[in-house]
Amino acid sequence: MDMRSEKYPYRLDVERRLPNGSLTTDGYAARHPVEFRHWGHARGYVLWGERIDRTDWENWRINYYGK
């Protein structure tokens, strides 16, 4: 995996890079939102120079913060 940002806490066991360059957890973050609480610092779906798959991030946000 290309490490674009030294600050971003990569989870190589559950994250992968999509062809468009964004990161996805294939829904893992939404099922385990506390493990990805750092996503709460994202502006929209961009965190420390990394773009998170928007669907993955939105599902995480709903499960972490509620609708």
Side-chain angles (χ1 to χ4, degrees), residues 13-42:
D13 57 329
V14 295
E15 289 179 302
R16 67 182 178 90
R17 196 165 300 281
L18 295 171
N20 69 4
S22 64
L23 294 173
T24 185
T25 66
D26 295 308
Y28 181 90
R31 291 187 305 275
H32 307 278
V34 174
E35 291 182 34
F36 284 82
R37 69 173 50 116
H38 58 280
W39 283 13
H41 298 287

